Amino acid sequence: MSIQRVAIVGGTHGNEWTGIYLVKKFQNNPQSIQRSTVETTTLLANPKAIALNQRYVDRDLNRCFGQDDLNDTTLTGYENTQARTIATALGQTHTSKVDFIIDLHSSTANMGLTLLPASYHPFNLQLMAHLSEQNPDVRVCCGVQCNQDSPMLRSIVPLGCTIEVGAIAQGVLDAQRFQQTETLIHSILDYLDATNQQKIASTTHSSLMIYQSIESIDYPRNSMGELEAMIHPQLQGKDYEPLKAGDPMFLTFAGETIVYEERSIVFPVFINEAAYYEKGIAMTLTEKQHIKLSQTA
Amino acid sequence: MSIQRVAIVGGTHGNEWTGIYLVKKFQNNPQSIQRSTVETTTLLANPKAIALNQRYVDRDLNRCFGQDDLNDTTLTGYENTQARTIATALGQTHTSKVDFIIDLHSSTANMGLTLLPASYHPFNLQLMAHLSEQNPDVRVCCGVQCNQDSPMLRSIVPLGCTIEVGAIAQGVLDAQRFQQTETLIHSILDYLDATNQQKIASTTHSSLMIYQSIESIDYPRNSMGELEAMIHPQLQGKDYEPLKAGDPMFLTFAGETIVYEERSIVFPVFINEAAYYEKGIAMTLTEKQHIKLSQTA
């Protein structure tokens, strides 16, 4: 497998500054993201939202890349139009454009350095295993939709990932996370270049630990849909830590604790993500899975 | 001095949820904020911004309360209109409306539990001293404009304060800070009630430690006004900690450290507040001051 063209995308959400300012930095110094066998382009995906310092203008751009939506020309909102433009520019539906997409995001949840692969493609998973081994702080989280039918920007080509860093408030820069994300991007480019040159076999790793999303949990709400509780202080910031029966999940405004009641131990992520209140997501529960990797290229 | 009417205000900034949801909680249970000698009202100050989950619609409401702006009827933006309505409803310019305002805010900076008094009025400072003594986590920070000519909502009556809690991202609830803010509000109401009933003398404290704002510092920017640096990782989250000559302040995107160069030791606050990027404020430098309190009522 040869990866010749990479796109680094920032500002898919206009108020997630880590990716926006990294892309601006790369645009000011394009040489830094080239490798001998890899040509890298950059893109600020949602310029109007970036200018407004908002997640989106009409609709979440990172939910506009499902094939049905891309094909539906009656959807004329800013983000739907922008998604079609981006899919045409980067996607592989026409002549091959890019082979690999890195989409840069940040979260108000304590996501640390999370990689969300675009697919379970063996090459992708080998890369994730390589990055996890190189930096033990890196975690791999697979969405419920981890394939090319997902509505995410990263899914327009089979190879690539979202980098989700946090906790970072919207509309700010966090220098430490900025530098860690930059390092991770360079590690990806180095790996792609090394595998292209067969300096690293893309079959090195035999297994990978992932956090597999199972379901999302909403906040307790009243019949009007209004919040009745907050993330419990004992769960706040505890992304990727085990949650077991009896552990506090929510604290109602009246001061009552709501506990987790299932038997299975889960690992919540995206706990208290600001952008997910409107999506009805207080957290996403994941399971830890060790997956066996194909060692035939 | 007798404080009979108190207003608790939330949502002056529409994306600062701590105050918004505390006010909603109080509105659902108005009895909880009444005291035998104190009548408490609540207000959501910027309903349109709250509905949009934005700081403001046209202009920062908490900069619209200067007398000149309140008198200038040619200012017809949403927040200017709203400010005049609120000043008329709560302010003392006409018949006395409320005696004391508590304005609830949150910050993406690590402000902990900060009180920003509306004025240096002896009664106000005695209250601040009482609250600091009761809870050592409470800090008192005086703005450059700590008087009735300030453009802040809290300044429309001489007594009262802003409660500024953080670090909290915009558009989220943090249960721990929510509860701490609620406790602080009840402590204020209890104090006002106790002094009304002369159970506490409002001349108890002889001194108060405050953080007095001296000046605000902008981020390094290029000639286009674009950011060239971030808060240095060693300064991030270090609000209220001493900053001395040679200490890192900023990290440029190119990776260079910019240090603090003045001789005087200062205590930065509002470090990396999201809403202050557009105001050209990376942090506000304060001096620690022990002020002597009048012990004659």
Side-chain angles (χ1 to χ4, degrees), chain B residues 81-189:
Chain B
T81 309
Q82 195 67 4
R84 276 190 289 275
T85 306
I86 293 169
T88 305
L90 303 184
Q92 296 187 311
T93 43
H94 304 279
T95 56
S96 175
K97 304 292 169 47
V98 303
D99 304 309
F100 194 98
I101 291 177
I102 305 170
D103 192 20
L104 304 176
H105 288 256
S106 63
S107 173
T108 64
N110 189 18
M111 296 298 282
L113 290 176
T114 293
L115 297 171
L116 294 137
S119 73
Y120 297 104
H121 189 291
F123 182 87
N124 232 7
L125 296 181
Q126 284 285 341
L127 166 62
M128 302 293 130
H130 170 80
L131 297 168
S132 312
E133 187 186 70
Q134 202 171 49
N135 180 353
D137 291 339
V138 167
R139 293 192 188 90
V140 180
C141 181
C142 294
V144 174
Q145 292 172 300
C146 181
N147 57 56
Q148 279 199 273
D149 280 339
S150 106
M152 313 283 181
L153 186 148
R154 64 172 178 261
S155 65
I156 58 180
V157 300
L159 297 179
C161 60
T162 296
I163 301 181
E164 185 81 62
V165 298
I168 308 179
Q170 296 168 344
V172 305
L173 284 164
D174 180 290
Q176 188 185 23
R177 292 294 182 207
F178 183 93
Q179 290 189 312
Q180 289 171 340
T181 308
E182 190 178 9
T183 301
L184 199 49
I185 292 166
H186 285 297
S187 299
I188 293 172
L189 297 175

Side-chain angles (χ1 to χ4, degrees), chain A residues 110 139 211 234-235 237-243 266-268 271:
Chain A
N110 190 18
R139 293 191 188 92
Y211 293 85
Q234 288 179 44
L235 184 59
K238 301 291 170 56
D239 302 72
Y240 292 111
E241 296 190 18
L243 183 74
V266 290
F267 299 81
I271 301 170

Side-chain angles (χ1 to χ4, degrees), chain A residues 25 54 173 253 272 277, chain B residues 25 54 173 251 253 272 277:
Chain A
K25 176 172 178 173
Q54 290 177 188
L173 284 165
F253 293 127
N272 211 354
Y277 278 84
Chain B
K25 176 173 179 175
Q54 290 176 187
L173 284 164
L251 183 72
F253 293 126
N272 211 355
Y277 278 84

